[in-house]
Amino acid sequence: MNKSMTMTDTAAAFFDTIETGKGWAACAPFCTPGATFSCQSDALAEIGTIEAYAGWMEGLLKLAPDGRYDMKAFAADEARATVLGFAVFHGTHTAEGGPVPPTGRSVAADYVYAMTFDGPKIKHMTKIWNDAQSMRALGWT
């Protein structure tokens, strides 16, 4: 991470790193130690750190190797030290190892990351996502 990066630059670089499944080692430089994670979804209910979420995303992209995101909006709220990224995740379940054998079904899932900063690094991220709709689209429920 470049020390002269703005909050928005850091959030954008982090967003791409985590969404392309590069894992925690690549995400860690953008985050404070022990950076927390929350999401009001059953699929991510047990995940409480960005480190664990980075591992989850890495695993998801193994199940859907064509996984990619389409950024729709990106905005910084400097007064609240928060950056919001709204995107659509696209992917098809074609690989072994998921909750069910490969379904060949695809998903286009809307989601938002709210990344809160402590100085130059992300200290917390909230994901806003309808997991039930995504799981149905992939044929996992």
Side-chain angles (χ1 to χ4, degrees):
M1 187 174 96
N2 181 335
K3 292 194 186 287
S4 66
M5 292 174 72
T6 67
M7 183 175 74
T8 304
D9 294 337
T10 299
F14 168 79
F15 194 106
D16 186 69
T17 301
I18 202 161
E19 284 300 293
T20 55
K22 292 187 173 70
W24 176 243
C27 292
F30 301 107
C31 300
T32 61
T36 56
F37 174 86
S38 64
C39 183
Q40 293 179 343
S41 71
D42 290 338
L44 299 172
E46 301 301 316
I47 294 180
T49 64
I50 295 176
E51 178 177 4
Y53 179 67
W56 188 87
M57 280 302 299
E58 191 174 13
L60 176 64
L61 287 166
K62 289 178 182 168
L63 301 175
D66 68 337
R68 66 202 179 285
Y69 69 93
D70 178 20
M71 184 64 70
K72 297 297 184 181
F74 208 77
D77 182 339
E78 298 283 341
R80 291 169 186 81
T82 300
V83 177
L84 304 174
F86 162 46
V88 179
F89 176 85
H90 300 272
T92 305
H93 181 198
T94 58
E96 295 290 340
V100 300
T103 63
R105 293 177 60 177
S106 298
V107 66
D110 296 335
Y111 64 102
V112 174
Y113 286 168
M115 298 161 277
T116 305
F117 281 71
D118 180 7
K121 295 190 175 194
I122 300 165
K123 72 174 180 178
H124 178 80
M125 183 172 79
T126 299
K127 181 174 185 172
I128 303 161
W129 169 56
N130 184 340
D131 66 327
Q133 185 174 3
S134 294
M135 299 303 165
R136 279 192 305 275
L138 289 167
W140 294 359
T141 59

